[in-house]
Amino acid sequence: MKDKTISTAKLEVKHLPPDDASVDVLIQFAHTFDGYARCGSSAKCAEIANARDHSTIDRLRTCLFFEARRWRHFGETPDEDALRYWQSLVAGIRERILRLDSLTPEWLSDAIRQLPSDAPVSLKTQGYNQYTTQKDHWLGWLNPAAGTGSYPRRTGANVAAKMVYNRIGEPKMLWWLASAAGVDQSLLDEAQGRVDAQTPLSSQCAEFRKLVPWRTLAESLELAIRNQTSNVVAQDDVRR
């Protein structure tokens, strides 16, 4: 049987059902994602769906997948409330795709500035260019005027942060950013094994991005910055 799943990294707006999609169309789309496999177990999938956790595209898709499976198990046609909920999940996925893919390099630079830095290393350490931390390496790379890149960077209105992330050719930059952003450790552990099996740096980066694509990284970054902002506000409230 042909695999009809679509990874979140490759999911595009054109793959999504229309706003007024029927139950059958929504069920068909729901099964382009395997929530059990992504969550690691049916129990974890149910936990996310029952909590209506909509924090990421994967979790929106998990909710839709589980709801479709739940009604199939009942052997009933979803009622109007269920249909509206399913349609809202698709709308949430659409909004998230469009927003994440349009984030700018300036947004990425601002987000990275708010992350804690890695420990400094000696100048001229392999993989650090002219910097002593990967945080500074990223900030320099995102600033075309710095003139410290190994090759010229494209600029302009058509250059999105997604494009920048997908062009990085130094694995150490990707590892630091994903770790600092709080990407799921299970993804990083799986990426470690795959990346270690590759030799050229470009192949290592490509393999890493298969497990940690742009949208996964961006959603983790957004959450990390929100949590950091909340902690700062809480500390200010305590001081008052």
Side-chain angles (χ1 to χ4, degrees), residues 9-237:
K10 294 182 178 180
L11 186 66
E12 302 294 342
V13 170
K14 67 183 180 182
H15 297 132
L16 304 181
D19 292 338
D20 59 350
S22 66
V23 168
D24 289 342
V25 171
L26 288 165
I27 289 175
Q28 184 178 13
F29 172 69
H31 288 102
T32 63
F33 181 80
D34 187 343
Y36 297 149
R38 178 66 185 87
C39 297
S41 69
S42 58
K44 182 62 177 178
C45 181
E47 177 185 331
I48 291 170
N50 290 330
R52 296 201 168 187
D53 182 346
H54 303 163
S55 57
T56 68
I57 295 175
D58 272 357
R59 296 205 164 191
L60 285 162
R61 297 184 77 186
T62 296
C63 289
L64 182 60
F65 169 84
F66 189 81
E67 289 298 323
R69 300 290 292 184
R70 191 204 305 266
W71 282 91
R72 179 179 179 182
H73 178 74
F74 290 159
E76 299 176 3
T77 300
D79 57 27
E80 285 299 316
D81 286 342
L83 177 59
R84 281 193 293 271
Y85 176 54
W86 292 15
Q87 291 170 339
S88 75
L89 291 172
V90 173
I93 293 169
R94 179 180 292 104
E95 182 277 331
R96 197 70 63 90
I97 288 174
L98 291 171
R99 183 171 55 77
L100 294 175
D101 287 1
S102 64
L103 290 171
T104 66
E106 289 75 21
W107 175 89
L108 180 56
S109 184
D110 287 343
I112 290 173
R113 285 192 186 92
Q114 298 179 63
L115 296 176
S117 181
D118 47 324
V121 300
S122 301
L123 279 171
K124 298 184 178 180
T125 296
Q126 191 276 327
Y128 284 75
N129 201 300
Q130 301 179 31
Y131 303 99
T132 59
T133 68
Q134 289 301 340
K135 179 175 181 176
D136 286 343
H137 194 173
W138 265 104
L139 293 175
W141 172 250
L142 288 165
N143 177 14
T148 53
S150 299
Y151 51 90
R153 274 146 284 185
R154 292 177 58 185
T155 60
N158 294 327
V159 178
K162 177 181 179 179
M163 181 185 296
V164 174
Y165 180 74
N166 288 337
R167 292 185 70 213
I168 293 297
E170 172 49 64
K172 289 188 173 80
M173 292 178 72
L174 300 178
W175 279 112
W176 173 78
L177 183 57
S179 298
V183 168
D184 191 312
Q185 189 59 47
S186 64
L187 284 179
L188 296 180
D189 290 343
E190 186 175 354
Q192 184 73 63
R194 294 194 187 185
V195 169
D196 287 347
Q198 304 297 321
T199 302
L201 296 183
S202 59
S203 296
Q204 291 181 10
C205 290
E207 201 62 36
F208 183 89
R209 282 186 288 258
K210 289 179 184 178
L211 270 297
V212 188
W214 165 249
R215 291 171 190 160
T216 298
L217 184 281
E219 288 181 320
S220 296
L221 256 181
E222 286 186 326
L223 180 59
I225 299 309
R226 279 200 301 271
N227 289 341
Q228 190 173 61
T229 301
S230 297
N231 290 338
V232 170
V233 171
Q235 291 172 4
D236 287 345
D237 288 343

